[in-house]
């Protein structure tokens, strides 16, 4: 029974071919594309308003050099948001519960921010490893600590997203199983459990949106330090 709870996190295959690529490519087909008309429909108008507001909020703390990342960060936010939301549907697979995918997104983007900082302002980038006014005996220790914290950043990005989504999916499956088992024996308790399940599902919808936003927000903060 306990093993079956984790079967939902296994990458589905068909004829030996992993379907995770299809799950990653599917979200882009769900969004309507802009037309050449002067007036768009309500869906396109709402989509454009959301993207503009998010981009403005994301680029607010960045200087002019960081605005070049607007398309990348906004696309990443929409991608993660859509995958997380689709994963809450029944009989679906959530690619962002795979640590390999999240690390594949986090490591290259984090490394790009570090390389940009080392190329454009190497003195300031290396200065982050040693706070100003540090006593001389603590300099070697602080450099080691700051270097470790720097390399932990992409791991924290990937693990945070994976752990939050995995924990939410497990809780939903555990409570749903409990409600199903209790229904013939204790209907009242089963109804209360189903109510808790409904509230937890609403919470998971919020978590799916927040985690996508936090992932991109932290990347923008890392970028802010290096541009």
């Amino acid at each position: 029974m306990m093993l079956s709870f984790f079967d939902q996190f296994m990458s589905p295959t068909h004829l030996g071919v992993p379907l995770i690529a299809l799950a990653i490519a599917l979200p882009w087909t769900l969004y309507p594309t802009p037309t050449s008309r002067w007036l768009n429909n309500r869906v396109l108008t709402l989509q454009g308003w959301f993207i503009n507001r998010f981009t403005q909020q994301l680029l607010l703390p960045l200087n002019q050099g960081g605005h070049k990342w607007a398309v990348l960060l906004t696309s990443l936010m929409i991608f993660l948001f859509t995958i997380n939301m689709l994963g809450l549907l029944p009989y679906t697979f959530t690619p962002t519960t795979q640590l390999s995918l999240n690390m594949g997104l986090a490591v290259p983007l984090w490394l790009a921010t570090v390389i940009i900082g080392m190329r454009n302002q190497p003195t300031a980038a290396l200065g982050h490893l040693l706070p100003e006014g540090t006593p001389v005996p603590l300099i070697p220790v602080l450099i080691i600590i700051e270097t470790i914290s720097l390399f932990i950043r992409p791991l924290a990005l990937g693990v945070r997203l994976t752990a939050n989504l995995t924990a939410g999916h497990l809780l939903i499956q555990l409570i749903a199983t409990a409600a199903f088992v209790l229904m013939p024996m204790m209907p009242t308790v089963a109804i209360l459990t189903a109510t808790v399940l409904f509230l937890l599902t609403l919470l998971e919808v919020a978590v799916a949106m927040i985690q996508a936003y936090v992932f991109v927000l932290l990347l923008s903060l890392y970028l802010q330090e290096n541009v």
Side-chain angles (χ1 to χ4, degrees):
M1 175 63 72
M2 295 304 296
L3 182 61
S4 64
F5 287 151
F6 293 92
D7 288 347
Q8 59 177 319
F9 304 116
M10 297 175 60
S11 179
T13 58
H14 181 67
L15 299 178
V17 179
L19 299 181
I20 187 172
L22 180 61
I24 292 174
L26 178 62
W28 299 114
T29 63
L30 302 178
Y31 286 93
T33 56
T35 62
S36 57
R37 299 176 181 176
W38 287 6
L39 294 177
N40 291 323
N41 56 29
R42 292 183 178 87
V43 176
L44 281 174
T45 303
L46 183 62
Q47 175 182 305
W49 176 85
F50 171 77
I51 293 176
N52 289 335
R53 292 293 298 174
F54 171 74
T55 306
Q56 291 175 6
Q57 187 69 25
L58 187 65
L59 300 182
L60 194 60
L62 297 178
N63 56 22
Q64 195 66 31
H67 292 183
K68 300 175 183 178
W69 287 58
V71 176
L72 176 61
L73 295 178
T74 304
S75 301
L76 180 62
M77 165 68 184
I78 296 173
F79 174 70
L80 293 176
F81 169 78
T82 309
I83 284 183
N84 293 348
M85 295 298 291
L86 289 178
L88 295 174
L89 297 176
Y91 303 105
T92 56
F93 171 69
T94 311
T96 44
T97 57
Q98 305 295 312
L99 183 60
S100 57
L101 173 65
N102 297 332
M103 293 301 295
L105 293 173
V107 172
L109 294 173
W110 164 82
L111 188 60
T113 62
V114 174
I115 292 175
I116 287 176
M118 294 298 294
R119 186 186 65 178
N120 295 340
Q121 43 182 12
T123 304
L126 293 176
H128 292 152
L129 301 179
L130 185 63
E132 187 176 357
T134 304
V136 176
L138 296 179
I139 288 179
V141 178
L142 281 180
I143 290 178
I144 295 174
I145 293 175
E146 292 296 330
T147 303
I148 294 174
S149 66
L150 178 65
F151 283 97
I152 284 179
R153 285 180 174 182
L155 182 62
L157 278 176
V159 170
R160 180 187 293 108
L161 182 58
T162 304
N164 280 280
L165 295 180
T166 302
H169 284 63
L170 279 177
L171 278 175
I172 288 177
Q173 186 169 1
L174 285 170
I175 296 178
T177 304
F180 181 76
V181 172
L182 291 173
M183 182 61 71
M185 296 182 295
M186 293 179 286
T188 304
V189 179
I191 292 174
L192 292 177
T193 307
T195 304
V196 174
L197 177 62
F198 175 73
L199 296 177
L200 180 62
T201 304
L202 295 180
L203 178 62
E204 281 305 307
V205 171
V207 169
M209 295 187 290
I210 291 172
Q211 288 304 316
Y213 177 73
V214 168
F215 190 93
V216 178
L217 178 63
L218 289 177
L219 276 177
S220 67
L221 293 179
Y222 298 158
L223 180 64
Q224 180 185 356
E225 295 179 358
N226 295 285
V227 294

